[in-house]
């Protein structure tokens, strides 16, 4: 019996050592992506788009979530320092009451970012979804990820696996007390990330139609703005602004005499024949031809 207990204990220790080794390996390989992250905004290279990874605005107990607060602050800092032109807020929208992208968009607008520069990704259920959808749906081959440093490392590791040239801007970390649970969860999230990429070969849960960044979109009613992009004013087509000059001249030109107008009305004009040409030929048909005096005719022939 004692021998069996020793064998069981040895197997348990080997299993624990194996799990610890796998966790340590995943921590090491994902952490290598920190070379692509930056703590200061002046170190961040320019990218057209930033992707803010989603989190709830409030904690489960109702208090403010500092992860959310600092990510919004970091995204606004990138935009105000001309490091990005557009921002994608990507997060979970599992229910009507829980909508991370809308919360982030409202916070960014409150921070002074124009609504036209913000795009919402409602299917960013996981970090993998947010990163891959930024490429496949929003058409970005390179972008700046905005989150806390440990989260940026995992997001960039995933991005580089899918051939995306991503860098990260590290938002401020909350206090150690508030972030201890998140840090412990991150250890297992990195292991699951390796399994998703190299074992399960997982992709985003949803893709959908492409969303071009930077192009105006039709205005929508306020009842649908939560699920669509911001409303932008549409410019009037140039073809409608410029009127044909020939038509304007005919419409504004006054009638010469009542007789000419009547004659022009009786003369058939085909649709192909220009109206201005028909009006120009009408007076010559109505004017009487005066005979020349003999002296004038002879004088004209001698010259």
């Amino acid at each position: 019996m004692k021998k069996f207990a020793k064998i069981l204990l040895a197997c348990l220790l080997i299993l624990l050592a194996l799990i610890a080794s796998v966790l340590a390996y995943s921590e090491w390989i994902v952490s290598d992506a920190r070379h692509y992250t930056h703590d200061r905004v002046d170190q961040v290279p320019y990218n057209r788009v930033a992707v803010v990874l989603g989190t709830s605005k409030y904690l489960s107990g109702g208090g403010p979530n500092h992860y959310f607060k600092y990510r919004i602050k970091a995204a606004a800092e990138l935009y105000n320092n001309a490091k990005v032109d557009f921002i994608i807020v990507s997060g979970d929208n599992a229910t009507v009451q829980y909508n991370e992208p809308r919360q982030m968009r409202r916070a960014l607008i409150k921070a002074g970012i124009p609504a036209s520069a913000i795009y919402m990704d409602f299917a960013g259920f996981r970090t993998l979804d947010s990163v891959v959808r930024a490429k496949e749906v929003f058409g970005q081959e390179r972008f700046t990820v905005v989150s806390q440093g440990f989260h940026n490392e995992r997001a960039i590791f995933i991005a580089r696996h899918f051939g995306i040239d991503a860098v990260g801007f590290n938002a401020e970390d909350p206090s150690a007390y508030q972030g201890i649970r998140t840090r412990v969860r991150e250890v297992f999230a990195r292991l699951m990330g390796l399994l998703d990429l190299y074992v399960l070969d997982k992709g985003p849960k949803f893709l959908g139609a492409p969303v071009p960044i930077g192009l105006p979109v039709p205005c929508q009613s306020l009842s649908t703005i939560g699920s669509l992009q911001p409303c932008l004013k549409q410019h009037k087509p140039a073809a409608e602004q410029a009127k044909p000059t020939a038509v304007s001249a005919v419409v504004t030109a006054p009638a010469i005499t009542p007789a000419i107008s009547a004659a022009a009305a009786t003369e058939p004009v085909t649709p192909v024949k220009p109206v201005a040409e028909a009006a120009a030929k009408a007076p010559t048909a109505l004017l009487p031809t005066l005979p020349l005096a003999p002296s004038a005719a002879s004088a004209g022939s001698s010259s």
Side-chain angles (χ1 to χ4, degrees), residues 48-49 85-86 115-119 138 140 210-219 229-235:
R48 189 165 178 258
V49 172
D85 297 325
F86 300 95
S116 59
I118 306 170
Y119 287 76
F138 294 90
Q140 304 305 305
V211 178
I213 297 292
L215 297 182
V217 295
C219 292
Q229 300 303 329
C231 176
L232 302 179
K233 184 178 180 181
Q234 299 295 301
H235 296 288

Side-chain angles (χ1 to χ4, degrees), residues 48-49 51 88-90 119-125 128-143 162 164 203-215 217 227 229:
R48 189 165 178 258
V49 172
V51 178
I88 300 174
V89 287
S90 179
Y119 287 76
M120 292 184 287
D121 176 14
F122 295 99
F125 303 112
L128 186 147
D129 294 66
S130 297
V131 169
V132 177
R133 281 175 57 83
K135 176 184 178 182
E136 300 298 333
V137 177
F138 294 90
Q140 304 305 305
E141 297 282 348
R142 54 181 299 154
F143 49 81
F162 286 98
I164 302 170
K205 189 174 182 180
F206 298 112
L207 284 176
V211 178
I213 297 292
L215 297 182
V217 295
S227 60
Q229 300 303 329

Side-chain angles (χ1 to χ4, degrees), residues 34-47 74 77-78 81-84 142-145 152 156 166-171:
R34 71 166 56 98
H35 299 103
Y36 302 104
T37 66
H38 305 277
D39 295 315
R40 291 167 38 192
V41 70
D42 59 331
Q43 298 173 337
V44 182
Y46 168 81
N47 276 325
E77 191 176 0
L78 280 177
N81 284 273
K83 294 296 184 176
V84 296
R142 54 181 299 154
F143 49 81
T144 302
V145 185
N152 278 342
I156 293 171
V167 297
F169 182 44
N170 299 330

Side-chain angles (χ1 to χ4, degrees), residues 19-20 22-24 26-27 30 150 154 180-194:
I19 294 174
V22 173
L23 289 174
S26 63
E27 178 71 19
V30 173
F150 64 89
R154 179 159 53 93
I180 185 65
R181 285 177 53 188
T182 305
R183 293 302 185 90
V184 172
R185 187 175 61 184
E186 177 65 21
V187 174
F188 293 95
R190 295 188 175 197
L191 175 59
M192 288 304 302
L194 292 182

